[in-house]
Amino acid sequence: MAENSKKIVDQGTYGAANIQVLKGLEAVRKRPAMYIGDTSARGMHHLVYEVVDNSIDEALAGYCTRIVVKIHKDNSVSVEDDGRGIPVGDHPDYKDPPKSALEVVMTVLHAGGKFSKDTYKVSGGLHGVGVSVVNALSEWCIVESSRNDDVYSQEYIRGVPKGPLKTLGIKRKNGTLTHFKPDETVFEKRDFSFDTIGNRLRELAYLNKGLSISLIDERSEDEFQKEDYYFKGGLAQFVTFLDENRTSLLSKPIHFEKERDDVPVEIAMQYNDSYTDNIHTYVNNINTVEGGAHLVGFKTALTRTLNSYASKNRLFKKEGFSLTGEDCREGLTAVISVKVAEPQFEGQTKTKLGNSEVKGIVESMVGESLSEYLEENPSVGKRIIDKAMQAYRAREAARKAKDLTRRKGVLESGGLPGKLADCSLRDSEFTELYLVEGDSAGGSAKQGRDRRFQAILPLRGKILNVEKARLDRILSNEEIKTIISAIGAGIGSSKSDDERDLFENGENGGFDIAKIRYGKIIIMTDADVDGAHIRTLLMTFFFRYMRELIEKGFVYIAQPPLYRLSKGKKEVYAFDDQERERKMKEMGDGKISYQRYKGLGEMNPDQLWNTTMDPERRTILRVTLNDAAAADRIFSTLMGDAVEPRKLFIYRNAKRVKNLDF
Ligand code: 0RA
């Protein structure tokens, strides 16, 4: 077999199969985004996840217990596992010329997935693109498969084998090592992020209890970084980790693990003293951000089980009383993980589980397990019902507050706040709302803006920290009320319609993105600690009560300059110290004076327009939500200032918006 591969490569006698392979690789290199989403840092990190997913599959099949991921000095990454090793015998589908299974996995699109379908019951990997895509997008890639008391190795250049599969003639424990270097001509960013990879590996370790994963960073000279992820407690530990900075209601999470109709289901849940729920769902280790059948099944079972438990044990004072789903979920942190053989992913980002049979499976499993648990742990049952009753009473109070505010027109369009300087255009495709820190900067922004499409809402001081307040208090906060009415789309959790129909009595209509009055919500604060704090408070509010705004990319951060440089009549701006240095050099010799802006208020309307608001010249950062679990954890730690929203989110597409056509 090794002989054959040699022939192909050395003599260039390509069979039909090879032409197919080359075409496949070429397609990937031509349109990488089609296979990995994009070619930014996010896409590059996706390569690592794809390789790790193969090892996870081997762990799911029960053969792999340890995975080591290394970031090397040259920004290459290696992933090593102790599974069975990739098979090296001739692949049955490739006769002319014959090819090793390993080479097929590495060079044929989707071969990994198809191949593993018989081998593995379920398979992870987001779109199951397969490791051949990683190979095609790597400057080089080396795979070593240790099995049959030998080590087999093959190297590739941009996906094409450099030579035949070789045996190294050494012995090693069984396993697979994949070492690749992302092609710098494909990816915009070069550096891997320890934290980004670490977050995903930690998540995988929680989701696959007992699996040991390590991340090692060899890039820094003096101290290499290493983290080990290994959790015997699985999702129970995940929930505890998510709630690390909250006060738990139960002494330990409730944790179930069962298989029904060939669908393994694992769920852990805990209550805390906050007012929002925080449910993370996974299908085959993929975070199903948009929810779907498993989430619906869980929610239905939770509401029904708590109600029947409370009635049965006479915990409700009034006959016929019942708690709503929202009451039952206040302060709930839960993780739901199911493994489905043929998952159907739906929704805008293909992260919504469509398999309807899974709803019933999860529903009946949670119903039975939770009732049993509550019967056996009546003190836990009482606590949960007490908490839900509190939520009910607060919701009643909130409803009254809401009625009040609704009567005042805050939650409906029409009654716009007096502080808002609205724009004249109505089409949200073109309009922008600037949330500006302070009245004086607000004044400059009003004078400097293009009033046709830019609206200004000045915010006085700090808005309420919604993390520490219930809806009724949130709705009585002036700054928040003005923001809600300016945006015009209401407030609340934005559930998909089918879930809303199923669970809400239409009482809380929720946030309706279709009603937003602006296509961009731009946060403009000073470049200091207070500014960062206000930004964080706003983001916390959007994250908790208008999450779709963030998910759909409507929220932006303005980037006001830090310096104004001047030489004679010439004026130049710089956004940080580095840029200031560079621009001063560019301006040449002579007297250059510079001013450091302490706040937006120091800029006059023209300056503010020229540097920060003019779509032709400004830079605005779009806020995107990369990892809901991570974001949630960090928001929950935010009780003071200190934490920069920059750390909570990965700002991608920091692009100059130049395409506003008028
Ligand atoms: C197909 C079949 C077998 C193992 C694998 C694939 C495999 C693939 C990868 C990728 C990374 N690590 C891996 N470990 C295993 C089973 C072969 C057998 O029956 O021994």
Side-chain angles (χ1 to χ4, degrees):
M1 178 219 34
E3 281 302 294
N4 278 317
S5 339
K6 194 170 168 58
K7 213 163 65 192
I8 303 159
V9 174
D10 293 356
Q11 302 178 1
T13 49
Y14 291 104
N18 278 68
I19 291 165
Q20 276 312 107
V21 165
L22 287 173
K23 271 193 180 152
L25 296 175
E26 204 183 313
V28 176
R29 291 186 56 83
K30 228 182 198 159
R31 293 203 175 73
M34 285 226 340
Y35 299 85
I36 53 163
D38 58 51
T39 55
S40 68
R42 184 197 181 101
M44 192 176 76
H45 284 79
H46 202 95
L47 302 182
V48 180
Y49 308 150
E50 195 62 43
V51 176
V52 170
D53 280 337
N54 287 288
S55 300
I56 296 278
D57 280 351
E58 189 66 359
L60 288 174
Y63 297 100
C64 161
T65 62
R66 177 152 175 72
I67 301 171
V68 179
V69 179
K70 263 189 209 157
I71 311 172
H72 298 265
K73 270 203 154 52
D74 57 355
N75 205 44
S76 64
V77 166
S78 62
V79 178
E80 185 167 19
D81 69 52
D82 64 353
R84 291 167 291 181
I86 304 180
V88 290
D90 284 357
H91 192 287
D93 294 353
Y94 290 80
K95 295 274 193 288
D96 180 30
K99 263 184 207 182
S100 70
L102 186 146
E103 184 173 329
V104 173
V105 168
M106 293 308 295
T107 57
V108 179
L109 288 185
H110 303 292
K114 242 198 236 153
F115 191 52
S116 60
K117 201 150 173 222
D118 312 320
T119 320
Y120 305 119
K121 212 155 82 177
V122 294
S123 167
L126 185 45
H127 305 104
V129 292
V131 73
S132 59
V133 169
V134 177
N135 194 13
L137 299 177
S138 292
E139 186 185 315
W140 51 259
C141 178
I142 304 169
V143 182
E144 293 179 8
S145 168
S146 309
R147 45 191 280 141
N148 324 330
D149 292 326
D150 210 329
V151 178
Y152 301 80
S153 163
Q154 190 167 32
E155 278 187 62
Y156 311 84
I157 303 288
R158 301 194 159 93
V160 180
K162 192 176 169 187
L165 185 74
K166 291 185 293 200
T167 54
L168 301 185
I170 51 174
K171 278 184 196 168
R172 219 187 257 167
K173 254 180 37 188
N174 280 5
T176 304
L177 171 72
T178 308
H179 190 173
F180 67 96
K181 181 164 159 45
D183 191 340
E184 288 183 2
T185 64
V186 173
F187 294 97
E188 293 151 29
K189 284 258 162 60
R190 228 140 281 168
D191 291 345
F192 280 110
S193 151
F194 186 91
D195 288 345
T196 302
I197 297 177
N199 280 341
R200 173 61 180 156
L201 297 181
R202 183 184 304 106
E203 183 180 46
L204 284 168
Y206 281 124
L207 289 164
N208 299 279
K209 69 159 131 322
L211 174 63
S212 145
I213 310 181
S214 296
L215 175 61
I216 299 169
D217 191 340
E218 293 184 337
R219 286 172 299 185
S220 121
E221 284 284 330
D222 22 68
E223 43 166 340
F224 83 20
Q225 237 182 318
K226 180 170 193 269
E227 266 181 30
D228 298 306
Y229 314 106
Y230 168 74
F231 307 109
K232 262 200 231 154
L235 297 190
Q237 256 177 301
F238 196 179
V239 161
T240 302
F241 170 76
L242 289 169
D243 271 0
E244 199 169 64
N245 302 298
R246 297 189 173 106
T247 308
S248 298
L249 209 69
L250 315 177
S251 58
K252 61 179 205 307
I254 302 173
H255 190 190
F256 311 118
E257 195 174 1
K258 268 189 194 158
E259 186 166 327
R260 178 158 299 177
D261 300 338
D262 283 331
V263 177
V265 181
E266 186 183 352
I267 291 177
M269 51 190 273
Q270 169 66 282
Y271 283 89
N272 59 66
D273 65 353
S274 81
Y275 309 118
T276 43
D277 68 45
N278 177 20
I279 308 176
H280 300 276
T281 63
Y282 294 84
V283 174
N284 302 350
N285 294 325
I286 298 157
N287 188 191
T288 33
V289 181
E290 296 169 284
H294 49 340
L295 179 61
V296 174
F298 171 78
K299 286 180 173 178
T300 310
L302 180 72
T303 309
R304 184 176 306 143
T305 307
L306 291 187
N307 273 306
S308 66
Y309 173 80
S311 317
K312 201 172 140 201
N313 292 282
R314 305 188 182 286
L315 298 174
F316 292 149
K317 290 205 183 70
K318 267 186 269 170
E319 189 90 15
F321 174 84
S322 71
L323 295 158
T324 66
E326 251 178 286
D327 298 334
C328 296
R329 294 193 298 272
E330 188 184 283
L332 172 72
T333 295
V335 180
I336 302 167
S337 168
V338 298
K339 305 265 161 66
V340 181
E342 283 183 54
Q344 286 146 25
F345 291 110
E346 301 172 348
Q348 238 174 19
T349 55
K350 293 269 169 274
T351 55
K352 180 176 181 183
L353 181 66
N355 304 54
S356 55
E357 73 280 5
V358 176
K359 174 180 180 282
I361 292 174
V362 173
E363 189 178 330
S364 67
M365 183 262 178
V366 172
E368 284 163 28
S369 307
L370 186 60
S371 321
E372 201 180 292
Y373 186 92
L374 296 176
E375 294 299 342
E376 284 166 14
N377 299 274
S379 65
V380 172
K382 171 132 188 7
R383 271 197 187 179
I384 295 177
I385 301 299
D386 280 352
K387 164 85 185 169
M389 286 305 297
Q390 264 177 39
Y392 163 77
R393 284 188 286 269
R395 200 167 47 84
E396 277 297 292
R399 194 173 55 75
K400 283 176 193 148
K402 224 174 178 178
D403 279 352
L404 214 67
T405 42
R406 188 171 280 137
R407 242 172 284 136
K408 286 193 203 142
V410 168
L411 293 177
E412 270 137 32
S413 44
L416 290 171
K419 292 207 299 176
L420 175 75
D422 209 2
C423 49
S424 51
L425 274 171
R426 280 278 55 89
D427 187 346
S428 71
E429 193 182 326
F430 305 107
T431 57
E432 310 180 335
L433 173 66
Y434 274 84
L435 300 173
V436 186
E437 173 183 358
D439 284 337
S440 85
S444 295
K446 277 182 200 173
Q447 288 176 52
R449 68 175 171 153
D450 183 327
R451 62 174 60 241
R452 287 172 303 174
F453 67 94
Q454 293 179 318
I456 309 294
L457 181 63
L459 300 173
R460 192 173 306 140
K462 301 207 164 153
I463 73 158
L464 179 75
N465 181 358
V466 300
E467 201 68 13
K468 291 202 286 196
R470 247 198 192 113
L471 199 56
D472 53 335
R473 249 191 80 211
I474 293 172
L475 286 176
S476 58
N477 179 271
E478 283 306 320
E479 298 306 301
I480 291 205
K481 276 198 289 196
T482 55
I483 295 170
I484 298 170
S485 65
I487 292 175
I491 175 178
S493 50
S494 29
K495 299 169 190 81
S496 64
D497 292 337
D498 53 352
E499 277 174 39
R500 192 154 49 220
D501 290 347
L502 271 167
F503 299 106
E504 314 304 337
N505 319 319
E507 197 269 325
N508 175 7
F511 177 73
D512 183 0
I513 196 114
K515 293 207 181 109
I516 53 168
R517 303 180 62 249
Y518 310 95
K520 290 193 176 70
I521 313 286
I522 304 172
I523 301 174
M524 186 160 76
T525 59
D526 293 341
D528 59 11
V529 179
D530 278 351
H533 190 201
I534 292 171
R535 206 158 65 211
T536 306
L537 291 166
L538 283 168
M539 300 270 255
T540 309
F541 173 61
F542 291 143
F543 183 72
R544 293 291 178 215
Y545 292 97
M546 299 186 181
R547 189 173 300 185
E548 228 181 324
L549 269 191
I550 299 181
E551 284 172 351
K552 302 247 161 87
F554 287 98
V555 181
Y556 296 80
I557 311 277
Q559 298 286 289
L562 208 52
Y563 297 103
R564 187 177 75 102
L565 316 178
S566 56
K567 184 180 166 189
K569 276 204 180 130
K570 201 170 145 80
E571 264 189 351
V572 176
Y573 298 91
F575 291 88
D576 54 33
D577 294 292
Q578 253 183 331
E579 195 178 9
R580 189 199 67 196
E581 296 282 321
R582 190 166 51 77
K583 293 220 161 137
M584 281 175 84
K585 279 207 190 88
E586 279 171 17
M587 288 164 87
D589 304 325
K591 189 176 159 14
I592 304 169
S593 59
Y594 72 82
Q595 169 192 7
R596 188 191 160 101
Y597 290 119
K598 283 191 222 58
L600 294 165
E602 289 180 18
M603 264 183 263
N604 67 37
D606 274 348
Q607 288 170 339
L608 201 55
W609 165 257
N610 291 340
T611 60
T612 318
M613 297 178 72
D614 177 6
E616 295 292 329
R617 283 175 286 181
R618 73 185 176 193
T619 297
I620 53 178
L621 299 178
R622 176 183 251 167
V623 178
T624 57
L625 185 58
N626 206 37
D627 180 342
D632 171 79
R633 229 179 83 82
I634 296 163
F635 276 121
S636 72
T637 52
L638 287 180
M639 293 309 181
D641 354 27
V643 186
E644 275 270 300
R646 231 177 282 277
K647 283 187 181 169
L648 317 185
F649 293 102
I650 292 183
Y651 296 161
R652 343 179 256 131
N653 310 338
K655 56 187 170 195
R656 282 179 184 271
V657 179
K658 282 196 171 156
N659 49 358
L660 264 180
D661 281 327
F662 277 96

